[in-house]
């Protein structure tokens, strides 16, 4: 991608690395786990061609952005302030946010906490779920082994510092290849296979990953980009986002049940566990996303939607943005 501009801008974390293409109204693209700005490589040129200033960032803990050592530095309020800092550093007053995976709740909460800065939001793969209910760690503990026999839910597995790192970091490239394949439509395990979102007792998450081929959206060169970044940075910064979920639940208590009122878009994959587990959250959108313009499950889509189905995602994103303008 030789026609993009790389920048480092100041943020509360220290610095945020971003990649920019195009000019016009600002659209900020926020990735999820385990990705980087590069997961938006198909959207940057499409949005630029449609007349937008498209900016994909490395979330704190990833890539060339700062990686604070304290796990508490990865709480949601801190990430919201990073997004605000990026907008200000780019000389803008407002932006539209697009988030995928963890980037989806980061984008939604940025719109919720800072409606003065974020005028609209598009959420990919992970539905908006307002703060509420029991403490997240209690919810995940109840999911352990759900319907799968003995096993631990992956979010619970990620909680203890160093545990998942010990599994992933000896072979980052191989682990990433398996993780991407496990959640992609064309390579995910069959419905009757052990669920890759759970860890068997004394096992690893990787034990349940498919092996042997990459998903169609991921070339060897693409995998090299992702693996190269995590081999350089390690996995702790990325995993620390999972380790702040209880802190977020406490921090966001004043926003219990709060809707995001700005214009919004939701796109999910029909084969993505995120959309099936959280189907009630999608059904609640009339109350939780009262500004919803469109909500679509792309038939046969997996989790890495903007990479698996870039043309369709780009079309729906540009239609959404054009309607705003």
């Amino acid at each position: 991608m030789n026609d993009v501009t790389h920048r480092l801008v100041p943020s509360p974390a220290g610095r945020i690395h971003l990649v920019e293409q195009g000019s016009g109204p600002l659209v900020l693209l926020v990735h999820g786990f385990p990705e980087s700005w590069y997961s938006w490589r198909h959207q940057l040129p499409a949005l630029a061609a449609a007349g937008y200033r498209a900016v994909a960032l490395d979330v704190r803990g990833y890539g060339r952005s700062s990686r604070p050592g304290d796990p508490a530095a990865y709480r949601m309020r801190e990430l919201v302030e990073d997004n605000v800092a990026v907008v200000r550093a780019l000389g803008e007053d407002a932006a539209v946010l697009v988030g995928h995976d963890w980037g989806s709740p980061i984008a939604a909460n940025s719109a919720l906490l800072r409606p003065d800065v974020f005028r609209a939001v598009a959420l990919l793969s992970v539905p908006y779920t307002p703060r509420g209910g029991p403490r997240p760690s209690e919810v995940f503990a109840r999911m352990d082994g759900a319907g799968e026999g003995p096993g631990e839910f992956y979010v619970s597995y990620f909680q203890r510092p160093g545990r998942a790192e010990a599994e992933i970091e000896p072979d980052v490239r191989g682990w990433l290849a398996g993780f991407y394949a496990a959640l992609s439509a064309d390579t995910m395990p069959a419905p009757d296979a052990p669920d890759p979102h759970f860890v068997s007792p004394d096992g690893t998450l990787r034990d349940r990953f498919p092996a042997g081929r990459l998903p169609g959206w991921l070339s060897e060169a693409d995998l090299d980009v992702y693996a190269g970044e995590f081999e350089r940075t390690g996995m702790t910064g990325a995993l620390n986002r999972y380790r702040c979920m209880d802190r977020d639940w406490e921090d966001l208590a004043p926003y219990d049940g709060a809707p995001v009122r700005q214009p919004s878009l939701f796109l999910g994959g029909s084969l993505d566990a995120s959309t099936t587990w959280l189907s009630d959250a999608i059904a609640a959108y009339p109350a939780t996303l009262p500004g919803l313009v469109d909500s679509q499950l792309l038939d046969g889509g997996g989790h890495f939607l903007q990479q698996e189905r870039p043309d369709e995602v780009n079309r729906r994103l540009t239609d959404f943005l054009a309607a705003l303008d």
Side-chain angles (χ1 to χ4, degrees), residues 28-299:
L28 191 61
L29 305 166
V30 187
H31 67 81
F33 176 88
E35 301 176 280
S36 73
W37 74 267
Y38 188 75
S39 64
W40 301 105
R41 63 194 176 280
H42 304 296
Q43 284 67 51
L44 286 165
L47 293 175
Y52 297 96
R53 185 182 187 185
V55 173
L57 57 83
D58 281 335
V59 174
R60 74 164 67 185
Y62 289 81
R64 301 182 212 172
S65 293
S66 292
R67 300 187 300 280
D70 183 0
Y74 296 83
R75 62 211 311 157
M76 186 62 72
R77 282 186 175 273
E78 299 277 354
L79 300 178
V80 170
E81 290 308 310
D82 282 348
N83 289 342
V84 173
V86 167
V87 174
R88 301 301 188 221
L90 293 174
E92 303 284 357
D93 295 322
V96 176
L97 279 165
V98 183
H100 170 256
D101 183 76
W102 259 123
S104 176
I106 294 170
N109 281 283
S110 295
L112 177 66
L113 272 62
R114 295 301 304 267
D116 57 316
V117 178
F118 301 109
R119 62 189 183 98
V121 63
L123 311 176
L124 274 60
S125 299
V126 175
Y128 174 56
T129 55
R131 188 269 185 204
R135 186 178 292 271
S137 59
E138 297 173 5
V139 175
F140 300 133
R142 290 201 297 268
M143 293 181 68
D144 288 352
E148 301 298 325
E152 183 179 11
F153 190 49
Y154 78 100
V155 179
S156 299
Y157 178 70
F158 284 168
Q159 292 304 305
R160 190 171 76 231
R163 185 183 183 195
E165 290 92 327
E167 173 187 342
I168 302 169
E169 290 179 354
D171 179 19
V172 169
R173 194 178 193 278
W175 193 93
L176 290 175
F179 186 88
Y180 296 144
L183 275 63
S184 297
D186 58 339
T187 48
M188 63 176 53
D192 58 350
D195 191 330
H197 298 89
F198 293 86
V199 181
S200 300
D202 301 320
T204 65
L205 200 62
R206 185 175 183 169
D207 294 340
R208 298 187 178 189
F209 291 168
R213 67 187 182 102
L214 298 179
W217 61 267
L218 183 71
S219 70
E220 295 284 351
D222 295 330
L223 181 57
D224 285 342
V225 172
Y226 287 123
E229 288 292 79
F230 286 112
E231 286 169 349
R232 181 176 57 81
T233 65
M235 298 299 299
T236 298
L239 289 164
N240 276 343
R241 172 82 285 271
Y242 291 92
R243 296 164 183 161
C244 281
M245 299 178 77
D246 280 354
R247 292 184 176 96
D248 295 339
W249 183 82
E250 296 167 357
D251 289 346
L252 298 175
Y255 297 89
D256 194 82
V260 172
R261 299 190 179 278
Q262 294 96 316
S264 56
L265 168 71
F266 175 72
L267 299 176
S270 67
L271 301 180
D272 185 0
S274 297
T275 59
T276 54
W277 287 338
L278 296 174
S279 59
D280 288 348
I282 297 174
Y285 279 170
T288 61
L289 293 177
L292 186 68
V293 173
D294 193 16
S295 176
Q296 295 289 333
L297 292 184
L298 305 191
D299 188 46

